[in-house]
């Protein structure tokens, strides 16, 4: 589901998160490991108001592992702990409660020093739509709790989900908006599937994808679609369209007269890219 964000929605989303912040000890910020910058809310530092934070690079299964490590180092440099995870299979997800406890150890130690039995630490997952918040909540809970495709303003009664004995998670995530006033961000999110095609033209998104892939991942593109020659000039739009046509021909996307059905070819390019069929791809480096 694609959320149409208007200023009113953003204000409401922000207010909802700030209400939830009062209840929690730590915010868990979910990013897409393929596009850690574009999947980041532009105002997240301001919104989270200095709450302890753990950054999760989700969908790491689809991202370039070496670049993901660079991103982790980048966030360490900014003073944030991070983990690279795959919420859909649960890879590294069990490290989350451990990391959370580590980040809150001073608070826990203070409670113990006062003779209190430390209560479970409470967390909130935040992130833009489609980054994997519901998948992660369900994975941590070990059962289906969060409905995917949620949106701000549609909250049910809030409940705490127990994650082991020492952590609890709010069952509804905090939904943030991307920096969509930046067109490049929009294209990257569309390319990775965070923004559905209905909003943007499929051929334009596929063209953008080809442009990125020719420069960053020509070998993967060539191998997947059986292409032989890279375009001589990756900034020449005609040559890039020719790459799309080549792919279309290889996949039998032809219309009468032997012309390539670019819309159909575009659909194939995007579907296979998003499914990880071209290999692990990251579009942003720190
Ligand atoms: P949201 O709550 O933040 O909006 O995101 P949601 O959990 O609905 O996840 C959005 C899509 O991303 C889902 O796919 C989900 O399966 C996929 N996803 C989440 N985490 C990961 C991950 O770590 N790796 C991979 N490869 N995919 C992940 P979908 O196409 O919308 O649905 P479906 O095809 O899974 O049914």
């Amino acid at each position: 589901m694609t959320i149409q964000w208007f200023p009113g929605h953003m204000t409401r989303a922000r207010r909802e998160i700030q209400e939830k912040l009062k209840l929690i000890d730590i915010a868990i910020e979910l990013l897409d490991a393929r596009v850690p910058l574009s999947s980041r809310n532009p105002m997240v530092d301001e919104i989270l108001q200095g709450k302890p934070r753990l950054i999760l690079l989700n969908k790491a299964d689809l991202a370039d592992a070496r670049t993901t490590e660079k991103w982790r180092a980048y966030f360490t440099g900014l003073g944030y702990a991070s983990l690279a995870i795959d919420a859909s299979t649960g890879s590294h997800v069990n490290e989350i409660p451990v990391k959370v406890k580590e980040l809150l150890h001073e608070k826990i130690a203070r409670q113990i020093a006062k003779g209190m039995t430390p209560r479970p630490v409470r967390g909130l997952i935040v992130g833009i739509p489609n980054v994997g918040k519901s998948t992660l909540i369900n994975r941590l809970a070990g059962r289906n709790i969060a409905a995917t495709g949620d949106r701000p303003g549609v909250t049910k009664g809030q409940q705490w989900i127990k994650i082991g004995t020492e952590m609890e998670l709010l069952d509804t995530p905090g939904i943030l908006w991307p920096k969509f006033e930046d067109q490049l961000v929009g294209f990257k999110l569309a390319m990775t599937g965070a923004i559905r095609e209905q909003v943007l033209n499929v051929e334009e998104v596929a063209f953008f994808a080809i442009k990125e892939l020719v420069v960053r991942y020509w070998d993967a593109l060539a191998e997947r679609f059986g292409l032989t020659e890279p375009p001589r000039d990756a900034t020449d739009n005609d040559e890039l369209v020719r790459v799309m046509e080549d792919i279309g021909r290889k996949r039998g996307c032809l219309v009468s007269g032997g012309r390539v059905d670019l819309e159909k070819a575009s659909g194939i390019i995007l579907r296979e890219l998003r499914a990880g069929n071209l290999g692990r791809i990251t579009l942003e480096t720190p």
Side-chain angles (χ1 to χ4, degrees):
M1 176 191 303
T2 299
I3 301 172
Q4 298 290 338
W5 290 97
F6 296 108
H9 295 146
M10 293 190 232
T11 309
R12 182 150 73 180
R14 188 187 176 129
R15 203 179 329 120
E16 276 177 22
I17 290 189
Q18 283 168 346
E19 282 302 310
K20 289 173 177 174
L21 284 181
K22 294 178 192 157
L23 309 173
I24 56 139
D25 305 301
I26 187 163
I28 299 171
E29 185 190 1
L30 215 52
L31 303 179
D32 185 322
R34 297 167 296 173
V35 280
L37 285 185
S38 292
S39 59
R40 202 153 200 231
N41 173 273
M43 294 167 76
V44 68
D45 291 339
E46 198 187 309
I47 292 171
L48 296 182
Q49 302 165 342
K51 271 274 170 198
R53 193 184 327 172
L54 172 62
I55 292 178
L56 298 180
L57 293 159
N58 191 35
K59 309 197 187 185
D61 56 312
L62 299 174
D64 200 316
R66 267 193 314 185
T67 315
T68 300
E69 279 317 301
K70 285 187 194 155
W71 276 111
R72 289 195 61 200
Y74 167 84
F75 286 119
T76 305
L78 292 182
Y80 294 112
S82 69
L83 286 172
I85 65 158
D86 168 2
S88 57
T89 64
S91 170
H92 296 282
V93 165
N94 56 6
E95 290 168 35
I96 296 170
V98 181
K99 204 71 165 181
V100 162
K101 232 184 114 182
E102 225 174 86
L103 290 170
L104 296 173
H105 74 276
E106 278 177 23
K107 188 169 181 171
I108 296 169
R110 272 199 305 274
Q111 290 174 350
I112 294 173
K114 283 187 202 154
M116 293 155 70
T117 312
R119 60 163 178 76
V121 294
R122 294 187 150 179
L124 169 71
I125 289 179
V126 302
I128 66 166
N130 253 301
V131 74
K133 298 179 299 298
S134 312
T135 308
L136 179 62
I137 292 174
N138 291 336
R139 174 65 57 183
L140 281 166
R143 63 203 144 101
N144 263 16
I145 290 182
T148 48
D150 42 13
R151 49 175 152 173
V154 190
T155 44
K156 22 176 195 146
Q158 284 172 358
Q159 287 184 20
W160 296 102
I161 306 164
K162 285 200 190 328
I163 315 295
T165 52
E166 292 171 282
M167 186 178 167
E168 289 178 355
L169 198 64
L170 212 51
D171 68 340
T172 50
I175 303 166
L176 292 166
W177 59 95
K179 192 181 169 194
F180 50 76
E181 64 275 15
D182 180 338
Q183 211 195 11
L184 209 59
V185 169
F187 273 117
K188 284 182 185 164
L189 291 177
M191 184 173 161
T192 52
I195 295 176
R196 305 284 173 185
E197 264 116 47
Q198 294 93 288
V199 185
L200 290 160
N201 178 294
V202 60
E203 285 175 45
E204 275 184 59
V205 177
F207 178 80
F208 175 84
I210 289 295
K211 199 168 174 171
E212 290 281 315
L213 293 170
V214 160
V215 175
R216 294 171 185 269
Y217 292 99
W218 168 256
D219 291 347
L221 190 67
E223 190 181 309
R224 179 73 193 170
F225 296 110
L227 310 174
T228 45
E229 291 261 324
R232 276 177 310 248
D233 178 2
T235 60
D236 181 339
N237 289 357
D238 290 341
E239 288 207 37
L240 293 170
V241 170
R242 266 198 293 281
V243 173
M244 288 174 76
E245 287 173 342
D246 269 357
I247 293 173
R249 262 188 295 274
K250 297 271 182 197
R251 291 302 175 89
C253 307
L254 297 174
V255 285
S256 58
R259 274 185 306 113
V260 174
D261 183 341
L262 270 185
E263 190 180 340
K264 203 165 164 195
S266 298
I268 291 176
I269 293 166
L270 293 178
R271 211 164 34 248
E272 299 195 8
L273 170 73
R274 290 170 187 163
N277 294 339
L278 276 80
R280 297 162 64 141
I281 280 170
T282 299
L283 299 177
E284 293 171 340
T285 38

